[in-house]
Amino acid sequence: MSSLEVNLQHNMGNFHLDVNFSVPNSGITALFGHSGCGKTSVLRAVAGLLKTQKGMVSLNDTVWQQSNFFLATHKRPIGYVFQEASLFSHMSVKQNLEYGLQQIRREQRHLKMTDVIDLMGISNLLNRSTQHLSGGERQRIAIARALLTSPELLLMDEPLSALDYGSKQAILPYLENLHDELGIPSLYVTHDPNEAAMLADQMILLDNGKVVAQDTAANLLTRLDLPLASYDDAASILEGTISAHDATYHLTWISMDAGRVAVSREELPVGKIARVQIQARDVSLSRKFHSDTSIINILPVTVINTRDINDSQLIVQLELQDGQTMLSRITRRSGMTLDLKEGMQLYAQVKSVALIN
Amino acid sequence: MEMDWQAIYLTLKLASITTIILLLVGTPMAWWLAKTQSAWKEVVGSIVALPLVLPPSVLGFYLLLMMGPDGFIGQLTQSLGLGTLPFTFPGLVVGSVIYSLPFVVQPVRNAFEAIGERPMEVAATLRASPLKSFFQIALPLARPGLLTGAVLGFAHTVGEFGVILMIGGNIPGETKVISVAIYDHVESMEWEQAHILSAGMMVFAFVVVYAMYLLEKRMGNQGK
């Protein structure tokens, strides 16, 4: 099984990094945690920008670091996207893109310049200087520049965190394209659970220099023993397929074995796999099926577990009939009224569903 | 007047050669000072900066001793069959390089430090070797500092007097530069010729400083 193997130990003052994980050689893996948890250090160590005191890093059985052996950054087949785009200011956009391309041999170039430019939507920027670009444009160019070295592993260090909300929303579809169209495995550092939910297949939760948990994004986000489920914007991810479009009411239906949910109409082909995000606070629970309500997304669920978040609220972990898990955040008072117990059959009323991809 | 043209030519020649050597020697030195984590960093930095505070006569005195027949530089040049350097043009070049070194190293070092680690890290992740990224990324980004260093090194060498008098003396066509020529004119009460050379130096100095400000302003705007 080919994969990225990482085992690092490093002491920086009072901070001790000690991580050991492996990630599959496909899809996006989010390295997730609060600032200062060591996630950027891990990424830098994988890139060879940080030389840890002890450690082992290998990709597909090619060793990059082990005991006294340390492969320099420029010899590792990686693409790296920094938090700030860090374009070379003495070069035009095109020269920036070509810089990495020129460093590698022709037969190693798997990605075409034109394809990458299209993928990132930057064809109209090529002849510009790097001075007058928006944050989002700069970051898209930086991603394209990294891709043009045809990396075997893409490393991204919070590429969206320096952007405002609008630019962030504008760039996310490009990152999703990246995920869908390129088979390059990626490590994606973020502290934003929504970003991780939207982009990542796998998630590694880091805290204080240690790996706390590693699982699929859908599972990790809904585990009550981890802090994520207690966040104000805690959310769960469900996967289904586009099943129908409702022309009259302008809706798109997404079906799962456990029921169906509606989102505002999106021009996507029927049969395409779709992931949706559901905020825990948008899910209410009832013992009976109500048809006399404005809520159109009603799913039968089973209570798995509950946990108090604070004095007034609790979080409920629910299992759908097809085995997927979902969160609901309700008041403790409602929990009392419902007489919540493990194994209880309920109906989850979902006020709003967001399509991720 | 014939003599003055010779002094002007000699000064420009000295300053040009000195500047080229300073850029070749000072740039790697500035890079090392900007990047090293060695404990010797500030010791070396201080030694490079010494000519800023030392009286030129002190510098000239020791250079004279070192380059003389019993000094270690003198021994070296003699064993190479080059004779001794004091009172020769190559001697002036050696003295000028040492005297003007901080004026080149400092701005270039500042420029390298201002670039930071990031562009070099980016270049490394784009598969550029350290040597390639030094020439393709660090040097072009440090261009304002290199230009400032070159202009300052050149101008400072043109204005040199004390060190030259100590190690070069006053040999027309060999070591007699403008500043020494002015001194000579004043000593022999040739006020008019002293005026011409001095006023020329004033204009030169103003043009250099003014050009530097303009350059820095333009570069500053470009960097945004």
Side-chain angles (χ1 to χ4, degrees), chain B residues 15-36:
Chain B
S16 306
I17 293 173
T18 301
T19 305
I20 290 166
I21 295 176
L22 277 173
L23 285 176
L24 291 177
V25 173
T27 305
M29 216 178 239
W31 179 256
W32 184 83
L33 285 169
K35 298 292 163 185
T36 186

Side-chain angles (χ1 to χ4, degrees), chain A residues 127-143:
Chain A
N127 294 317
R128 301 259 288 270
S129 89
T130 54
Q131 316 293 328
H132 305 287
L133 298 168
S134 73
E137 288 168 340
R138 298 174 70 82
Q139 203 54 282
R140 267 148 58 199
I141 293 162
I143 295 169

Side-chain angles (χ1 to χ4, degrees), chain A residues 52-254:
Chain A
T52 55
Q53 287 141 357
K54 279 169 77 181
M56 196 284 297
V57 178
S58 70
L59 180 74
N60 303 341
D61 301 325
T62 307
V63 174
W64 290 354
Q65 180 184 352
Q66 190 166 40
S67 52
N68 285 327
F69 176 75
F70 187 83
L71 195 66
T73 300
H74 70 279
K75 293 183 178 156
R76 300 187 184 195
I78 52 160
Y80 199 109
V81 180
F82 291 85
Q83 200 165 339
E84 322 79 34
S86 311
L87 300 179
F88 298 131
S89 59
H90 63 295
M91 297 181 185
S92 72
V93 170
K94 190 150 181 276
Q95 288 170 319
N96 265 279
L97 292 176
E98 284 166 348
Y99 189 77
L101 190 69
Q102 286 159 355
Q103 310 296 328
I104 58 166
R105 284 204 301 275
R106 205 167 286 273
E107 62 270 20
Q108 288 176 334
R109 298 177 189 170
H110 306 305
L111 290 172
K112 279 209 221 116
M113 184 100 170
T114 47
D115 291 347
V116 171
I117 286 168
D118 287 346
L119 190 66
M120 288 291 125
I122 50 174
S123 55
N124 56 333
L125 306 174
L126 293 184
N127 294 317
R128 301 259 288 270
S129 89
T130 54
Q131 316 293 328
H132 305 287
L133 298 168
S134 73
E137 288 168 340
R138 298 174 70 82
Q139 203 54 282
R140 267 148 58 199
I141 293 162
I143 295 169
R145 182 175 65 176
L147 288 175
L148 282 169
T149 60
S150 300
E152 287 170 35
L153 175 70
L154 188 60
L155 304 168
M156 292 186 270
D157 185 8
E158 308 213 32
L160 304 185
S161 68
L163 304 180
D164 58 60
Y165 181 79
S167 316
K168 215 181 248 193
Q169 295 306 309
I171 202 172
L172 271 168
Y174 293 103
L175 289 177
E176 284 167 9
N177 279 346
L178 209 66
H179 177 265
D180 295 345
E181 311 217 348
L182 305 176
I184 306 172
S186 310
L187 266 186
Y188 187 101
V189 163
T190 181
H191 66 269
D192 180 344
N194 288 320
E195 226 172 274
M198 287 181 81
L199 294 170
D201 307 295
Q202 285 270 319
M203 263 173 97
I204 294 172
L205 185 61
L206 287 177
D207 188 37
N208 201 20
K210 310 265 184 303
V211 174
V212 177
Q214 176 176 10
D215 208 335
T216 62
N219 282 345
L220 210 67
L221 290 167
T222 55
R223 270 172 57 176
L224 297 195
D225 59 328
L226 300 175
L228 286 163
S230 313
Y231 287 179
D232 274 345
D233 51 359
S236 39
I237 299 171
L238 300 179
E239 190 173 290
T241 48
I242 307 275
S243 62
H245 297 290
D246 180 337
T248 318
Y249 296 108
H250 215 71
L251 296 173
T252 290
W253 286 99
I254 293 156

Side-chain angles (χ1 to χ4, degrees), chain B:
Chain B
M1 204 55 220
E2 174 85 8
M3 294 272 281
D4 286 345
W5 281 116
Q6 203 176 43
I8 290 170
Y9 168 74
L10 194 68
T11 306
L12 293 178
K13 184 173 143 193
L14 176 66
S16 306
I17 293 173
T18 301
T19 305
I20 290 166
I21 295 176
L22 277 173
L23 285 176
L24 291 177
V25 173
T27 305
M29 216 178 239
W31 179 256
W32 184 83
L33 285 169
K35 298 292 163 185
T36 186
Q37 305 197 339
S38 155
W40 292 94
K41 175 177 178 149
E42 296 312 336
V43 176
V44 174
S46 303
I47 292 173
V48 170
L50 272 185
L52 288 176
V53 286
L54 277 181
S57 49
V58 172
L59 209 61
F61 173 60
Y62 283 117
L63 279 170
L64 192 61
L65 287 187
M66 282 192 291
M67 297 195 298
D70 299 325
F72 78 93
I73 298 177
Q75 303 260 328
L76 186 75
T77 51
Q78 279 172 315
S79 70
L80 291 171
L82 300 171
T84 51
L85 292 177
F87 306 105
T88 65
F89 183 76
L92 285 199
V93 172
V94 172
S96 305
V97 164
I98 290 169
Y99 184 53
S100 297
L101 193 60
F103 290 85
V104 176
V105 170
Q106 206 52 49
V108 177
R109 175 185 174 175
N110 290 345
F112 283 144
E113 280 171 353
I115 295 171
E117 296 296 325
R118 185 50 54 80
M120 300 301 283
E121 288 186 350
V122 173
T125 65
L126 294 172
R127 319 282 169 79
S129 67
L131 199 67
K132 260 190 188 171
S133 40
F134 175 76
F135 283 106
Q136 295 172 343
I137 307 296
L139 276 190
L141 285 176
R143 204 178 55 170
L146 287 164
L147 264 172
T148 306
V151 170
L152 283 179
F154 188 90
H156 194 245
T157 305
V158 166
E160 192 180 342
F161 176 67
V163 176
I164 290 194
L165 210 58
M166 292 291 285
I167 63 174
N170 197 348
I171 307 164
E174 180 72 22
T175 63
K176 186 172 182 173
V177 296
I178 296 175
S179 57
V180 179
I182 293 171
Y183 179 75
D184 266 5
H185 286 314
V186 174
E187 286 288 280
S188 37
M189 308 281 263
E190 295 159 357
W191 298 106
E192 199 190 322
Q193 273 162 306
H195 263 310
I196 294 171
L197 284 180
S198 300
M201 288 292 275
M202 294 272 281
V203 172
F204 168 76
F206 174 79
V207 168
V208 166
V209 175
Y210 187 64
M212 283 256 307
Y213 279 128
L214 290 185
L215 209 67
E216 258 168 31
K217 216 171 135 188
R218 225 187 83 206
M219 296 279 187
N221 288 339
Q222 232 174 43
K224 292 281 161 270

